[in-house]
Amino acid sequence: KAGVTQTPRYLIKTRGQQVTLSCSPISGHRSVSWYQQTPGQGLQFLFEYFSETQRNKGNFPGRFSGRQFSNSRSEMNVSTLELGDSALYLCASSSTSGSPWRPDTQYFGPGTRLTVL
Amino acid sequence: LAKTTQPISMDSYEGQEVNITCSHNNIATNDYITWYQQFPSQGPRFIIQGYKTKVTNEVASLFIPADRKSSTLSLPRVSLSDTAVYYCLVGDKNTGNQFYFGTGTSLTVIP
């Protein structure tokens, strides 16, 4: 099975612009989660989508948004970019076929490295 | 959210057994404990998951005492390639806790 893929791998933007990142989950996986990783803040959860609905959300401002399509592919959008948005953005997918009380394994993609100038 | 506390960093020599402990004092009854490993510039990778007592796979062992307020990830005979950040997560699908990775433990294996 192909792993989680993310595009683009690298991106350079300037302050005030917006950006859209894409994630294709492992075939058959219906849950997609997004994370931001920076040296100072570590790995922080943005949101999770399942069957085209946002199911969980972290503590990020409304400039960060996402969506999921019927084929489970997901996109993340950041509007009005700030210097502090420079980070590695990771996407993870899981099958959600496990028991309700037991988290499924998350499979991560290679990430998109966003640099805001 | 069930909060986890881990040492920020650890050093170990090659060939030694490494034990990384995670504290989770307010773990809920249904919460499972999951450990991930992350190499630089890569996404985290699942290592092991458990609920109580001991779980072992081909990579590591996970020890969970009866009160479940802590857990210990044990890596047998580490090699240089085990240098990575290790994250302990406590979470239940129903609460969404499984998405909170914390700061992790940076393990450096020394030759």
Side-chain angles (χ1 to χ4, degrees):
Chain A
K1 259 188 187 179
V4 177
T5 58
Q6 292 186 245
T7 57
R9 292 293 311 278
Y10 301 91
L11 206 49
I12 299 175
K13 292 285 187 179
T14 56
R15 277 182 299 175
Q17 286 187 310
Q18 75 163 16
V19 66
T20 298
L21 312 182
S22 181
C23 172
S24 292
I26 291 172
S27 177
H29 284 192
R30 297 167 64 192
S31 168
V32 173
S33 307
W34 288 89
Y35 296 83
Q36 180 196 67
Q37 186 164 37
T38 60
Q41 298 295 322
L43 193 58
Q44 293 189 286
F45 171 64
L46 282 154
F47 29 67
E48 182 221 8
Y49 284 86
F50 177 77
S51 292
E52 302 179 64
T53 300
Q54 188 181 88
R55 188 165 65 172
N56 288 284
K57 187 177 187 304
N59 294 323
F60 276 79
R63 299 187 297 108
F64 293 82
S65 63
R67 59 177 175 168
Q68 186 180 35
F69 302 95
S70 58
N71 61 358
S72 293
R73 190 177 70 84
S74 177
E75 287 182 347
M76 191 194 90
N77 185 274
V78 187
S79 63
T80 319
L81 284 166
E82 301 176 359
L83 294 179
D85 297 332
S86 294
L88 179 67
Y89 289 88
L90 292 161
C91 157
S93 75
S94 63
S95 66
T96 69
S97 60
S99 305
W101 56 86
R102 184 170 183 169
D104 300 302
T105 299
Q106 296 183 67
Y107 296 87
F108 283 80
T112 294
R113 174 76 62 185
L114 172 65
T115 301
V116 182
L117 303 175
Chain B
L1 293 174
K3 182 178 165 59
T4 60
T5 303
Q6 302 176 234
I8 294 175
S9 63
M10 295 179 68
D11 292 337
S12 176
Y13 288 102
E14 270 191 298
Q16 290 190 327
E17 177 184 78
V18 171
N19 295 312
I20 305 174
T21 298
C22 177
S23 296
H24 28 79
N25 291 319
N26 58 340
I27 188 170
T29 304
N30 291 336
D31 287 352
Y32 271 70
I33 299 152
T34 311
W35 286 80
Y36 283 82
Q37 174 192 56
Q38 185 179 25
F39 297 113
S41 299
Q42 294 184 26
R45 183 178 70 172
F46 172 87
I47 300 175
I48 197 165
Q49 183 183 72
Y51 182 77
K52 62 179 180 180
T53 60
K54 177 183 174 182
V55 179
T56 298
N57 61 23
E58 63 279 4
V59 176
S61 294
L62 178 59
F63 298 92
I64 306 167
D67 66 6
R68 302 198 334 116
K69 293 186 183 300
S70 67
S71 59
T72 299
L73 174 73
S74 181
L75 305 172
R77 297 180 299 281
V78 293
S79 64
L80 296 177
S81 62
D82 293 316
T83 294
V85 178
Y86 293 82
Y87 296 95
C88 159
L89 285 78
V90 171
D92 183 317
K93 280 172 66 168
N94 293 327
T95 61
N97 283 355
Q98 72 270 24
F99 303 109
Y100 291 88
F101 279 70
T103 53
T105 297
S106 179
L107 171 67
T108 301
V109 179
I110 306 163

